[in-house]
Amino acid sequence: MKKEEKAKILITVIPFVLIILILAITLLVSGIKNAALKRDNEELQESIKEYADSNLTEKREESPESEDAMSAANLLVPQEQNDGEPEDGAASQPGEADKGQATGQKNVSGQAADAGGGTVSGQDVQHGQGVMEYNRVNYDKVTFDKDEQLKEMMTYWADNNQKALDDLAGLERFMAMSWRLRGTKDFYYYGDLDGNGRPNGTGIAVYADNQYYYGQWMNGARNGNGTWIHYHFHVTQDNKDIYTYHQYTGSFKNDLPDGEGSEHYDYNTELFEENVGYNTNLIGTYKEGLVDGEFYLTNLYSDGNVKEWYGNASGGSWIYQNENKDLKGRRPVLVEDRNPDNYIWLSPSENRNIGVRCLISAYKN
């Protein structure tokens, strides 16, 4: 009887055990399938995303922003022509140095005079126009509409939209407009005019060498408040121009900076030399385009450090801080704000005709 009872129990229990095993196996298989499905779905989503990104990039490359090519304009505002010797910073001088301001664009300061401390002035750079000459674009064949383009730029300038200005100035049709003026002191103008058809009131002008001015005019010349920008475009891989642009904002008189104003330089900082200070801001007063009065300057270094300097100028020359000279005959012209024993030094030959360099004007000596 006992054997028969055990047999009955086994017959009753075994089916339940089998059912439980089947359910467990079913759940395990289902879990594996779900995990695989989830992984496949994630891979599918990633593939779709990569495809979408790739497709979007292709569409952007196939549909660049259009640049309207306008008919060539020959009208310009005549100014005194060069007499064969190009202006400092003129458009026809590819590769000529833009030496910046009085301190040059380099200084090694803070050493005693008899220890040989001093500045190294000048920086071998290419003007924007010089760089353009080596570009493969033939700007003589690029058409433009000076009135429409200057009107467009004037709108952004009035709105203080610097990025839009920078973008426009770098377009081929704008560069071609400036290129057409190379080697001259002429300019294309758009804005208010007087009864004789001369610029008078508020207007904008483009010059050779990718130079622009927006502001007040009187009797055909820049007079009143305005901003001048000289763009340095880097379109060749081997160019050595550390500048991106040079700007003057302030008072003008007889087409030259005159009164309170400030200059600002922007650079490709990757080209900075170590332990060399590069002028970034100059704030003070000018007379006939030259420094004249009290000035505040800032220098930027390759490590991101900034130093502040003070000095006085008269008729385009810095007034020396004292009678000291270094071993090369240089004398201190600017003193550091936080260290009265630290100077920027210049030689007498460098300390003259210091002002807003490269600015094209028929009234500039």
Side-chain angles (χ1 to χ4, degrees):
M1 293 292 294
K2 291 182 178 180
K3 291 182 179 181
E4 292 178 356
E5 291 177 357
K6 289 181 179 179
K8 289 181 180 180
I9 294 172
L10 289 173
I11 293 172
T12 304
V13 171
I14 287 174
F16 286 105
V17 173
L18 291 174
I19 292 172
I20 292 173
L21 288 174
I22 293 171
L23 289 174
I25 293 171
T26 302
L27 291 173
L28 179 61
V29 172
S30 177
I32 293 173
K33 288 183 177 180
N34 288 338
L37 181 61
K38 181 179 180 182
R39 183 177 63 253
D40 292 343
N41 185 58
E42 289 176 349
E43 291 176 354
L44 178 61
Q45 292 298 325
E46 184 66 23
S47 298
I48 293 173
K49 182 178 183 299
E50 291 176 356
Y51 174 80
D53 291 344
S54 175
N55 190 46
L56 180 60
T57 300
E58 291 176 358
K59 287 184 177 180
R60 286 175 177 171
E61 293 175 350
E62 293 172 357
S63 303
E65 293 183 4
S66 61
E67 295 177 11
D68 297 332
M70 312 299 291
S71 59
N74 296 318
L75 295 177
L76 52 82
V77 180
Q79 291 289 348
E80 179 182 339
Q81 298 286 331
N82 284 345
D83 56 4
E85 290 297 324
E87 177 88 12
D88 177 25
S92 61
Q93 294 299 296
E96 185 169 329
D98 181 350
K99 293 186 172 30
Q101 292 305 306
T103 61
Q105 293 308 313
K106 296 183 178 181
N107 70 69
V108 182
S109 58
Q111 301 185 32
D114 58 359
T119 63
V120 180
S121 65
Q123 190 69 247
D124 291 333
V125 300
Q126 289 179 310
H127 286 298
Q129 193 70 36
V131 174
M132 285 174 63
E133 288 201 13
Y134 295 102
N135 189 15
R136 294 180 179 179
V137 176
N138 185 347
Y139 290 101
D140 287 326
K141 294 184 178 181
V142 177
T143 57
F144 60 90
D145 186 318
K146 69 177 186 64
D147 290 333
E148 287 299 321
Q149 292 176 198
L150 290 176
K151 179 181 179 181
E152 180 182 9
M153 180 173 276
M154 187 176 183
T155 300
Y156 289 118
W157 216 317
D159 291 338
N160 294 316
N161 191 336
Q162 186 65 52
K163 185 181 184 307
L165 292 176
D166 298 345
D167 291 342
L168 287 179
L171 295 178
E172 286 185 4
R173 55 192 170 96
F174 279 82
M175 295 175 75
M177 180 171 59
S178 176
W179 171 260
R180 195 65 57 87
L181 298 168
R182 68 192 184 280
T184 76
K185 296 181 180 180
D186 301 334
F187 58 94
Y188 294 131
Y189 174 83
Y190 179 87
D192 298 333
L193 301 171
D194 64 12
N196 296 317
R198 297 176 300 179
N200 199 87
T202 301
I204 186 173
V206 58
Y207 300 77
D209 209 13
N210 302 301
Q211 297 190 21
Y212 292 86
Y213 171 83
Y214 169 75
Q216 297 177 330
W217 299 73
M218 186 171 66
N219 300 328
R222 289 168 285 195
N223 275 275
N225 293 321
T227 297
W228 164 87
I229 294 180
H230 179 197
Y231 286 100
H232 292 247
F233 293 112
H234 304 135
V235 293
T236 57
Q237 294 182 354
D238 60 345
N239 91 87
K240 298 179 180 179
D241 190 351
I242 65 172
Y243 303 93
T244 58
Y245 74 84
H246 174 200
Q247 173 181 309
Y248 168 84
T249 298
S251 179
F252 280 80
K253 183 179 179 181
N254 295 328
D255 210 55
L256 295 172
D258 198 294
E260 295 183 357
S262 64
E263 293 180 69
H264 174 73
Y265 289 91
D266 260 20
Y267 299 94
N268 178 1
T269 57
E270 294 179 356
L271 300 178
F272 275 12
E273 298 180 25
E274 292 185 3
N275 301 318
V276 173
Y278 296 83
N279 292 339
T280 51
N281 295 289
L282 298 90
I283 303 173
T285 57
Y286 297 77
K287 185 176 182 179
E288 297 180 352
L290 302 176
V291 293
D292 191 270
E294 296 182 356
F295 267 85
Y296 162 80
L297 290 81
T298 60
N299 279 176
L300 178 64
Y301 293 78
S302 60
D303 60 1
N305 186 31
V306 175
K307 290 186 177 180
E308 301 176 354
W309 309 85
Y310 287 92
N312 289 276
S314 177
S317 297
W318 297 111
I319 298 174
Y320 297 116
Q321 297 288 326
N322 53 51
E323 298 298 323
N324 293 337
K325 294 182 181 180
D326 67 7
L327 295 178
K328 295 183 179 181
R330 293 174 294 197
R331 298 181 61 185
V333 295
L334 297 166
V335 60
E336 187 181 357
D337 177 40
R338 297 185 179 181
N339 185 356
D341 295 323
N342 197 20
Y343 300 98
I344 289 179
W345 303 69
L346 277 184
S347 67
S349 62
E350 294 172 313
N351 191 23
R352 57 188 180 86
N353 296 324
I354 298 161
V356 183
R357 301 296 179 99
C358 302
L359 184 143
I360 296 175
S361 170
Y363 297 85
K364 188 176 180 180
N365 293 327

